[in-house]
Amino acid sequence: MINPKNLPIPSIQRLPRYLRLLEEAKARGERVVSCTRIADDLGQLSVQVRKDLAITGVTGRPKVGYRVDELIDAIRNFLGWNQKTNAFLVGVGNLGSAILNYAGFVTHGLNVVGVFDVNPRLRGKEVNGHKIIPFGEMLDYVKMLNGYGIVVQMGVITVPASAAQDVADKLVQCGVRGIWNYAPTVLELPENVVCENVKLSESFAVLTNRMRNQDL
Amino acid sequence: MINPKNLPIPSIQRLPRYLRLLEEAKARGERVVSCTRIADDLGQLSVQVRKDLAITGVTGRPKVGYRVDELIDAIRNFLGWNQKTNAFLVGVGNLGSAILNYAGFVTHGLNVVGVFDVNPRLRGKEVNGHKIIPFGEMLDYVKMLNGYGIVVQMGVITVPASAAQDVADKLVQCGVRGIWNYAPTVLELPENVVCENVKLSESFAVLTNRMRNQDL
DNA sequence: TAGATTGTTAATCGATTAACAATC
DNA sequence: TAGATTGTTAATCGATTAACAATC
């Protein structure tokens, strides 16, 4: 926990799982959970859970376990989920709509402050309370928001691959510091903008390959 | 390539990227591609590309490179994407609709032969040509398909987490050998059914954590 | 031929797992 | 106290990268 960079990415990826489990435990009224329990429920080794939880800075008590409330707070804080992340979403197809309608991301701090699409016919149409704005008006819109002291931190890209780079460039102009990219493209971005690609085809590839190898 | 199991999963996950690049190269009329080029385009090391391509069984020619057509075929074959995979999709919300409307998965062999939802009001409604069937009728429907010699190999789960295990159990009864799970749950499945979880919250976690650590 | 590129073995790096001491 | 659990160091495992030989 000295240098928060270069932490094991697999560990970070497992934290949301623990968080879900802990919130379920809290809902059941449990105040303390051991990593042995967590590991059993998720089919992992307890030592891995322990290591993962350690990166958030919390410590447990031998024989007792970890305090549920403390752990939930620590994970949410570590992931940046206890604060709002203002975001633009570009591309209101089914995928974009799915994200806008999924309540889970709101609890992770995702705060959509602008929804855009190139299709001018969608102008003014609402998706889960968000009015769709023509893509061409994004820069004007962000200036307006900035005038009110609202800064856009993240861009969510749910457009076809062919349009993704253009969208990314525009989002960078808007000042985003991170991009959540659902398009199957490798984006070129300035060094100070972090990017996370959602790998749908990659996931499908692992599945079909394993199904194929079942037969052999 | 002797034992097709226990291949490096990261390598399998990178293959779709190469495939996309190769198809673009083919569209431009290129007949041969070197792994140096692929590596440059994707920001990787050429030796990694070489190792990854090796698992598909293709060999390149020194000084020349790999034949584009051969490589495309080999990757698609290795991933099981050159044959159709019959699938049921359960849960026709925005996410399910997004998958049904995305042409990319069709080119990966995804052949949806049944679309289901618990909501009886959706009965008969169409999504991209697929009539929605009430979830309760799934077993009858699969029997009907089996009568025509059609076997369902894969289940795609796009329902809320709370319903995912029930859906998975039913899909297993239908005889699927693989499950593509978009719900944020760890599913309990028989040993002979492979499962791939799409990790959306996990992806978001990595992004927000990195954005948070930018500041430090 | 010279040089670019592939293929492969060895070295490094990082994550997981094992072992065990510390502690409530 | 005894035993369950945490925390940490060491060993293992697997993937990436480096080095270099083979080859067209």
Side-chain angles (χ1 to χ4, degrees):
Chain A
M1 198 48 188
I2 299 127
N3 179 8
K5 306 187 194 225
N6 62 39
L7 289 164
I9 290 177
S11 296
I12 298 173
Q13 288 177 321
R14 282 189 293 267
L15 291 175
R17 287 210 215 172
Y18 305 146
L19 184 58
R20 213 168 288 127
L21 215 66
L22 287 160
E23 278 164 349
E24 285 168 19
K26 184 178 178 169
R28 282 193 303 270
E30 297 172 31
R31 318 202 57 178
V32 162
V33 166
S34 76
C35 68
T36 331
R37 262 284 307 284
I38 295 176
D40 276 359
D41 285 0
L42 296 174
Q44 305 172 208
L45 292 175
S46 68
V47 64
Q48 187 173 56
V49 177
R50 221 140 57 220
K51 280 245 166 109
D52 290 343
L53 297 181
I55 69 176
T56 67
V58 282
T59 54
R61 281 165 61 195
K63 165 127 184 164
V64 182
Y66 298 84
R67 284 183 39 220
V68 173
D69 280 334
E70 187 187 356
L71 209 40
I72 287 176
D73 276 359
I75 294 176
R76 289 176 56 82
N77 179 57
F78 178 79
L79 296 177
W81 287 5
N82 57 356
Q83 48 194 307
K84 284 191 181 174
T85 302
N86 293 335
F88 278 176
L89 182 143
V90 188
V92 194
N94 288 115
L95 192 54
S97 300
I99 295 166
L100 292 172
N101 281 301
Y102 181 52
F105 297 135
V106 177
T107 69
H108 301 165
L110 182 67
N111 186 39
V112 176
V113 295
V115 168
F116 302 86
D117 199 287
V118 267
N119 186 346
R121 286 191 202 169
L122 295 176
R123 175 200 283 273
K125 236 193 102 183
E126 283 199 5
V127 179
N128 196 23
H130 303 280
K131 276 221 168 70
I132 299 174
I133 304 164
F135 179 61
E137 297 172 21
M138 188 189 278
L139 286 175
D140 290 337
Y141 192 77
V142 79
K143 271 177 203 154
M144 191 270 283
L145 288 181
N146 291 163
Y148 288 107
I150 298 170
V151 171
V152 183
Q153 297 149 297
M154 181 189 288
V156 184
I157 299 181
T158 48
V159 301
S162 55
Q165 185 62 56
D166 278 354
V167 169
D169 294 343
K170 196 74 81 85
L171 285 166
V172 168
Q173 284 182 54
C174 289
V176 303
R177 297 189 296 111
I179 284 183
W180 200 21
N181 177 33
Y182 281 74
T185 340
V186 176
L187 298 173
E188 306 247 349
L189 295 167
E191 240 195 31
N192 60 332
V193 176
V194 298
C195 179
E196 172 68 19
N197 296 299
V198 176
K199 294 162 193 115
L200 299 183
S201 290
E202 286 80 344
S203 167
F204 192 72
V206 174
L207 180 57
T208 51
N209 176 258
R210 285 206 303 229
M211 285 173 69
R212 184 174 155 281
N213 286 346
Q214 268 182 337
D215 311 328
L216 307 180
Chain B
M1 195 51 186
I2 301 129
N3 178 8
K5 307 189 191 224
N6 62 39
L7 290 165
I9 289 177
S11 295
I12 299 174
Q13 288 176 322
R14 283 188 293 266
L15 290 176
R17 287 210 216 172
Y18 305 145
L19 184 58
R20 214 169 286 127
L21 216 66
L22 287 161
E23 278 165 349
E24 285 167 20
K26 184 179 179 168
R28 284 193 303 271
E30 298 172 31
R31 317 203 55 179
V32 161
V33 167
S34 75
C35 68
T36 332
R37 263 284 307 285
I38 296 177
D40 276 0
D41 286 0
L42 296 174
Q44 305 172 206
L45 292 175
S46 68
V47 63
Q48 186 172 58
V49 177
R50 223 142 52 225
K51 280 248 165 108
D52 289 344
L53 297 181
I55 68 174
T56 67
V58 283
T59 54
R61 281 166 60 196
K63 167 128 183 165
V64 183
Y66 299 84
R67 286 183 37 220
V68 173
D69 280 334
E70 187 188 356
L71 209 41
I72 287 176
D73 277 358
I75 294 176
R76 289 176 56 82
N77 179 56
F78 178 78
L79 296 178
W81 287 6
N82 57 357
Q83 49 194 306
K84 285 191 178 173
T85 302
N86 293 335
F88 278 177
L89 182 144
V90 188
V92 194
N94 289 114
L95 192 54
S97 301
I99 294 166
L100 291 173
N101 281 300
Y102 181 52
F105 297 135
V106 176
T107 70
H108 301 165
L110 183 66
N111 186 40
V112 175
V113 294
V115 169
F116 302 86
D117 201 286
V118 268
N119 186 345
R121 286 191 203 171
L122 296 177
R123 174 199 284 272
K125 234 191 106 183
E126 282 199 6
V127 179
N128 196 23
H130 302 281
K131 278 221 166 72
I132 300 174
I133 303 165
F135 178 61
E137 296 172 19
M138 188 189 277
L139 286 175
D140 290 337
Y141 192 77
V142 80
K143 271 177 206 156
M144 191 271 282
L145 288 182
N146 291 163
Y148 287 106
I150 299 169
V151 170
V152 183
Q153 296 149 298
M154 183 189 287
V156 184
I157 299 181
T158 48
V159 300
S162 55
Q165 184 62 56
D166 277 354
V167 169
D169 293 343
K170 195 75 80 91
L171 285 166
V172 169
Q173 284 182 54
C174 289
V176 303
R177 296 189 298 110
I179 285 183
W180 202 21
N181 178 34
Y182 281 75
T185 341
V186 177
L187 297 174
E188 307 247 349
L189 295 168
E191 240 193 31
N192 60 331
V193 176
V194 299
C195 180
E196 172 69 19
N197 297 299
V198 177
K199 295 166 192 110
L200 299 181
S201 290
E202 286 81 345
S203 168
F204 191 74
V206 174
L207 179 58
T208 51
N209 176 258
R210 286 207 301 231
M211 286 173 69
R212 185 173 156 281
N213 287 347
Q214 269 182 335
D215 312 328
L216 306 181

